[in-house]
Amino acid sequence: YAEIVDEDGFPLASTWEEQSWTNCRYGDRFATLIRDKGATVGRCHDCHTTSADQRRQNGVMAFAALTTAPWGIVVQQNEQEAFAYSRELQKNLVLFGGAALVITLIVAWLLTRSVVNPIRALIAACQRIAAGDLSQPIPRFGGGEVSILARAFDNMRERLKKSLDEIQGWNQELEQRVDSRTKELEEAEQGRRELLRKL
């Protein structure tokens, strides 16, 4: 409800039908504000009751002085009514915030899995390569940086395998030449011994 208050703090008019004109006076509470043309907001005072046996209204109050007259306007409202919208908004924000947090955690978990699982597979493949197993190709993943990294590792694995195969081929060829040359030398030595025995 709203009231117009004079400079003595007495309500001149009120929208509250159950206003008790005999016991309600704001006193000097707003005299300074009316004189200075100021305004204030606060909790409701305790003179407003609907009947003698009811408790006072638990509410909030706003006051503003009029610029054209030595009066002021007091607007009062029950606290539950005044803050109903903000409390509903607060409740909705908490619910929305909780839902947003859960969704964010799920998305983060899914994104982490989409990155962590391919990286774990790359680590396992690199450990196999470090142990000397170059036969198994590195698995290819979807798109993105992890896939580029997997292709680069697989290219390195193929080149390393090719180089090792060439080295093994050269080693085998060298061993065959050494064996062949050793046999030739042994045969020549044996032929020389036989020739010396005959002499």
Side-chain angles (χ1 to χ4, degrees):
Y1 61 91
E3 292 179 329
I4 298 176
V5 180
D6 68 8
E7 56 192 354
D8 293 326
F10 187 80
L12 299 175
S14 177
T15 60
W16 189 18
E17 295 176 2
E18 299 178 24
Q19 170 65 284
S20 175
W21 297 101
T22 59
N23 68 350
C24 186
R25 187 170 174 276
Y26 292 95
D28 296 333
R29 187 171 190 175
F30 302 126
T32 305
L33 290 171
I34 290 173
R35 187 175 56 247
D36 297 340
K37 305 296 184 195
T40 186
V41 176
R43 296 190 65 82
C44 185
H45 65 289
D46 58 0
C47 76
H48 293 283
T49 55
T50 54
S51 66
D53 59 343
Q54 286 185 337
R55 299 172 66 186
R56 72 181 178 88
Q57 179 181 356
N58 186 19
V60 292
M61 173 185 61
F63 175 83
L66 298 175
T67 56
T68 57
W71 300 338
I73 295 180
V74 179
V75 177
Q76 297 181 11
Q77 188 174 15
N78 182 286
E79 187 174 336
Q80 289 180 345
E81 293 173 2
F83 295 116
Y85 178 75
S86 61
R87 286 179 180 152
E88 185 68 24
L89 181 63
Q90 183 181 20
K91 186 175 82 172
N92 288 342
L93 284 176
V94 168
L95 291 175
F96 176 76
L101 178 65
V102 168
I103 290 170
T104 302
L105 289 175
I106 290 172
V107 169
W109 180 72
L110 290 174
L111 288 176
T112 301
R113 283 194 54 169
S114 69
V115 172
V116 169
N117 287 344
I119 289 178
R120 283 184 181 160
L122 280 177
I123 290 170
C126 290
Q127 288 172 341
R128 280 196 317 268
I129 290 171
D133 181 9
L134 300 173
S135 60
Q136 296 183 25
I138 294 176
R140 302 285 170 108
F141 303 101
E145 289 81 4
V146 176
S147 176
I148 294 170
L149 185 62
R151 281 193 290 261
F153 274 129
D154 200 44
N155 288 340
M156 289 179 0
R157 179 197 64 84
E158 288 175 355
R159 289 181 189 154
L160 187 59
K161 186 174 185 308
K162 183 178 177 184
S163 296
L164 287 177
D165 288 345
E166 287 177 2
I167 290 170
Q168 285 177 353
W170 293 338
N171 284 341
Q172 288 175 355
E173 184 180 339
L174 184 60
E175 285 176 6
Q176 288 174 357
R177 285 184 182 176
V178 167
D179 287 344
S180 174
R181 184 68 179 147
T182 303
K183 284 181 184 176
E184 287 176 6
L185 289 174
E186 286 176 355
E187 288 175 2
E189 182 64 26
Q190 189 176 9
R192 187 178 69 83
R193 284 183 188 166
E194 286 179 10
L195 186 63
L196 284 174
R197 276 187 212 159
K198 288 181 185 178
L199 289 176

